Amino acid sequence: MTQFRVLVIEDDPDIGRSLGLVLERAGYVAAWASDGETGLERFTAELPDVVLLDVGLPEMDGWEVLERIRSMSPNPVLVLTARGLESEKARGLLSGADDYMTKPFSHAELLARIGALLRRHPSPRGEQDAYDDGVLSMQFDRSSVRVHGREVNLTPTELRLLVELVRRCDQVVSVPELLKAVWDDPSGSRTDRVKFTVMGLRRRLGWTGVEGCPLENARGFGYRYRPPTSA
Ligand code: CA
């Protein structure tokens, strides 16, 4: 099953560990390296889908790590810095960083930014045109949805929402991200749209019980499609 990998290169052990937990809870496979050298080793060994890179690292600093990563791969890098200066931001983006966050930042915003990076840089693992987990099967190009082999008719909005969640299955997708992706609503204010569409989807797919429903509500943050076979 598609699970995106995130590598955190950060020398502060508290931040490194807590980011690892946050990422794993959101469905990512997270790895943490506490210096640039180790970070580069893990990068070449694991080829993560996204790198979170702290600028202030001992010995080899974050800028050098970024340069080395860029010489190897186009995988998205999100630079983390405590400095918050516009000049640092410009330097980061000129050096090939894909995004930039100033500490302290909220975990919700971090997850939203990672989700956006993954959408802008789809990895080959995220680009299948069909999906099948033994219960739900979909042909993305033909808009066909089946549950236990039975064809299910969805409204266009329900279908777009399901595609969004299934393409990123096992990850929590935030409500603002869903509003943007499915309704093209960047304001993120009409959260009821998502709620009612998920309710409709559950009904049509026959997943009305709360227990074991693959379309999970993630504690006020967003929704996740958890494939029934891996539950
Ligand atoms: Ca640091």
Side-chain angles (χ1 to χ4, degrees):
M1 216 57 275
T2 303
Q3 252 194 315
F4 293 104
R5 293 182 291 237
V6 181
L7 172 63
V8 181
I9 308 179
E10 160 69 77
D11 60 316
D12 182 321
D14 291 336
I15 299 179
R17 276 192 215 103
S18 79
L19 287 181
L21 279 176
V22 167
L23 290 164
E24 274 165 14
R25 253 185 244 136
Y28 295 102
V29 177
W32 169 47
S34 59
D35 63 77
E37 201 71 58
T38 317
L40 286 170
E41 276 165 23
R42 297 203 72 156
F43 182 85
T44 45
E46 294 161 25
L47 274 187
D49 299 286
V50 176
V51 179
L52 304 184
L53 174 63
D54 178 34
V55 168
L57 293 171
E59 290 154 38
M60 188 193 298
D61 76 9
W63 301 121
E64 194 180 337
V65 176
L66 177 59
E67 202 176 296
R68 302 259 211 112
I69 288 176
R70 271 296 152 265
S71 70
M72 291 187 273
S73 116
N75 291 21
V77 177
L78 196 165
V79 163
L80 308 174
T81 167
R83 292 164 220 187
L85 300 171
E86 282 307 301
S87 61
E88 291 290 299
K89 177 178 180 177
R91 181 172 177 189
L93 297 175
L94 284 174
S95 310
D98 298 274
D99 203 355
Y100 173 94
M101 286 186 89
T102 304
K103 295 177 194 169
F105 46 78
S106 79
H107 292 155
E109 188 184 358
L110 178 72
L111 293 176
R113 300 270 196 111
I114 292 174
L117 282 177
L118 286 169
R119 265 210 301 283
R120 262 155 52 202
H121 303 261
S123 90
R125 286 176 287 133
E127 281 176 348
Q128 309 97 331
D129 30 304
Y131 172 87
D132 191 348
D133 59 30
V135 173
L136 176 73
S137 61
M138 299 179 74
Q139 300 278 339
F140 296 121
D141 52 343
R142 284 190 284 129
S143 306
S144 155
V145 178
R146 289 169 182 270
V147 175
H148 293 297
R150 179 180 59 88
E151 184 88 34
V152 181
N153 290 315
L154 301 179
T155 68
T157 307
E158 287 166 348
L159 181 65
R160 281 202 299 277
L161 182 69
L162 185 64
V163 167
E164 197 63 26
L165 291 171
V166 165
R167 279 206 188 272
R168 295 162 67 185
C169 66
D170 273 325
Q171 291 174 44
V172 175
V173 186
S174 75
V175 168
E177 278 181 273
L178 290 170
L179 281 168
K180 180 135 192 347
V182 178
W183 285 268
D184 196 24
D185 171 8
S187 77
S189 55
R190 294 281 311 277
T191 57
D192 54 326
R193 285 173 155 173
V194 181
K195 186 172 138 190
F196 289 118
T197 308
V198 168
M199 282 168 58
L201 257 181
R202 285 177 177 153
R203 204 166 48 238
R204 286 187 203 254
L205 298 171
W207 296 332
T208 45
V210 176
E211 205 71 16
C213 175
L215 283 174
E216 292 181 351
N217 187 348
R219 286 159 296 177
F221 178 71
Y223 293 88
R224 160 166 51 199
Y225 177 73
R226 198 193 281 278
T229 43
S230 74

